[in-house]
């Protein structure tokens, strides 16, 4: 298991200390400037002050990224257009995707529509960038020979549940991101042994994912309480990531050929549910409901 590097400090002060072109991937979840309380600091900069802050840390991020590297940035609706402008027009980076993270529960509103998504911008340093599609495919709904049964491209609208307060992995942090979501970013845009940077690591989700996926993670966090949370999290026993795309448990509806079915079902857990131990049982139950002819027998050992 690869050790992760945790840095306590302000990202604007710590990023300039890091070596240029030293990271394969940057996953950034900066404050959205919505007035949230982050313990020892409040997310309430003035409009122009926040834009200056954003421009400064993005400039450093671009400097730190390798030529084939990718940056993913989470951002709220108010400033995402400005973020796009900085990345493309000012820094000359290449737009990859505007990803929508859809979740089923969020803040309720009585006037206007309740928000049910966050946005993630994907930009690359060049047009020649690392992208491992096979590592992030999702199961097909039907089996057909013309389909790639290794799975389909997940698209740019993703459904992951928030890490609810009843979840065993819920940390004392107001904007904790699901591990399954970060897993997809890390798998898609880096290889094992790659160096990954999170300039605002918060509760340590990116570092925890890197730890389990054999990447060298470096994280910066200004709040010492959150750093302690992340340290404890990295030392805790791993029992699977805390979230999964619901499509990963999808069983193809027309696997009537026994030999094809047995081969595919064995591969499915390895392809789609690795690091998601808690989802394997749900998948096996779905198989039993669809193919209750006695041929499919769930394995006794659930871990892959």
């Amino acid at each position: 298991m690869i050790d992760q590097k945790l840095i306590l400090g302000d990202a604007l002060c710590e990023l300039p200390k890091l070596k240029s072109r030293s990271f394969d991937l940057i996953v950034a979840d900066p404050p959205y400037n919505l007035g949230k309380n982050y313990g020892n600091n409040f997310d309430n900069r003035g409009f122009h002050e926040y834009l200056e802050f954003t421009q400064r840390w993005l400039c450093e991020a671009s400097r730190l990224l390798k030529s084939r590297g990718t940056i993913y940035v989470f951002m709220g609706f108010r400033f995402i257009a400005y973020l796009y402008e900085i990345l493309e027009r000012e820094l000359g980076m290449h737009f990859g995707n505007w990803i929508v993270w859809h979740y089923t529960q969020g803040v309720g509103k009585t006037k206007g529509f309740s928000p049910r998504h966050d946005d993630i911008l994907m930009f690359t340093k060049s047009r020649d960038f690392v992208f491992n599609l096979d590592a992030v495919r999702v199961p097909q709904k039907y089996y057909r020979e013309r389909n790639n049964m290794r799975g389909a491209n997940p698209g740019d609208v993703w459904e992951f549940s928030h890490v609810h307060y009843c979840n065993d992995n819920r940390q004392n942090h107001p904007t904790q991101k699901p591990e399954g979501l970060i897993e997809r970013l890390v798998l898609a845009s880096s290889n094992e042994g790659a160096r990954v940077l999170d300039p605002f690591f918060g509760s340590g989700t990116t570092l925890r994912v890197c730890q389990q996926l054999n990447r060298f993670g470096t994280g910066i966090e200004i709040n010492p309480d959150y750093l302690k949370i992340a340290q404890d999290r990295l030392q805790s026993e791993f029992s699977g990531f805390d979230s999964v795309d619901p499509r990963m448990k999808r069983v193809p509806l027309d696997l009537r050929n026994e030999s094809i079915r047995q081969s595919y079902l064995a591969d499915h857990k390895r392809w789609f549910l690795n690091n998601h131990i808690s989802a394997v049982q749900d998948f096996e139950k779905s198989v039993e409901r669809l193919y209750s002819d006695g041929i499919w027998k769930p394995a006794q050992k659930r871990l892959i």
Side-chain angles (χ1 to χ4, degrees), residues 5 16 30 37 80 98 144 158 218 220 223 232 238 255 274 284:
K5 183 178 180 180
N37 182 356
I80 194 164
W98 189 313
R144 298 185 181 94
W158 302 349
T218 297
I220 301 171
N223 188 326
D232 292 343
F238 180 69
L255 287 173
N274 200 15
E284 291 177 343

Side-chain angles (χ1 to χ4, degrees), residues 116-165:
R116 290 293 181 269
H117 81 278
D118 270 5
D119 296 299
I120 310 167
L121 289 183
M122 172 192 175
F123 274 78
T124 60
K125 195 71 173 287
S126 69
R127 298 194 186 280
D128 176 22
F129 56 94
V130 173
F131 191 76
N132 304 312
L133 178 57
D134 281 350
V136 294
R137 292 182 184 272
V138 297
Q140 302 277 12
K141 189 174 182 179
Y142 292 97
Y143 173 81
R144 298 185 181 94
E145 289 187 359
R146 65 177 177 269
N147 286 348
N148 183 342
M149 288 314 295
R150 180 59 180 84
N153 188 307
D156 58 5
V157 179
W158 302 349
E159 181 180 340
F160 288 91
S161 173
H162 277 300
V163 187
H164 297 297
Y165 289 95

Side-chain angles (χ1 to χ4, degrees), residues 114-274:
S114 297
R116 290 293 181 269
H117 81 278
D118 270 5
D119 296 299
I120 310 167
L121 289 183
M122 172 192 175
F123 274 78
T124 60
K125 195 71 173 287
S126 69
R127 298 194 186 280
D128 176 22
F129 56 94
V130 173
F131 191 76
N132 304 312
L133 178 57
D134 281 350
V136 294
R137 292 182 184 272
V138 297
Q140 302 277 12
K141 189 174 182 179
Y142 292 97
Y143 173 81
R144 298 185 181 94
E145 289 187 359
R146 65 177 177 269
N147 286 348
N148 183 342
M149 288 314 295
R150 180 59 180 84
N153 188 307
D156 58 5
V157 179
W158 302 349
E159 181 180 340
F160 288 91
S161 173
H162 277 300
V163 187
H164 297 297
Y165 289 95
C166 59
N167 191 302
D168 290 341
N169 196 40
R170 176 68 194 192
Q171 310 296 323
N172 186 22
H173 189 279
T175 60
Q176 180 179 348
K177 297 299 184 287
E179 290 173 343
L181 190 158
I182 302 299
E183 175 196 26
R184 180 170 290 168
L185 305 181
V186 172
L187 287 174
S189 297
S190 70
N191 300 314
E192 287 199 15
R195 297 193 65 200
V196 180
L197 172 66
D198 184 341
F200 313 93
F201 71 70
S203 64
T205 299
T206 299
L207 299 175
R208 180 59 157 170
V209 170
C210 287
Q211 179 192 55
Q212 299 304 316
L213 297 182
N214 297 315
R215 273 73 169 173
F216 291 93
T218 297
I220 301 171
E221 174 53 48
I222 197 170
N223 188 326
D225 294 332
Y226 295 157
L227 183 139
K228 180 62 167 60
I229 288 173
Q231 288 176 327
D232 292 343
R233 194 170 173 186
L234 291 170
Q235 294 170 6
S236 65
E237 182 179 356
F238 180 69
S239 59
F241 290 140
D242 59 25
S243 55
V244 65
D245 184 327
R247 293 174 293 179
M248 294 303 196
K249 297 180 281 187
R250 182 164 65 189
V251 183
L253 299 177
D254 50 358
L255 287 173
R256 290 299 173 185
N257 183 298
E258 178 185 352
S259 62
I260 293 175
R261 181 167 76 249
Q262 293 293 349
S263 175
Y264 171 77
L265 294 175
D267 285 335
H268 183 109
K269 290 189 286 185
R270 177 170 56 88
W271 288 339
F272 306 117
L273 298 177
N274 200 15

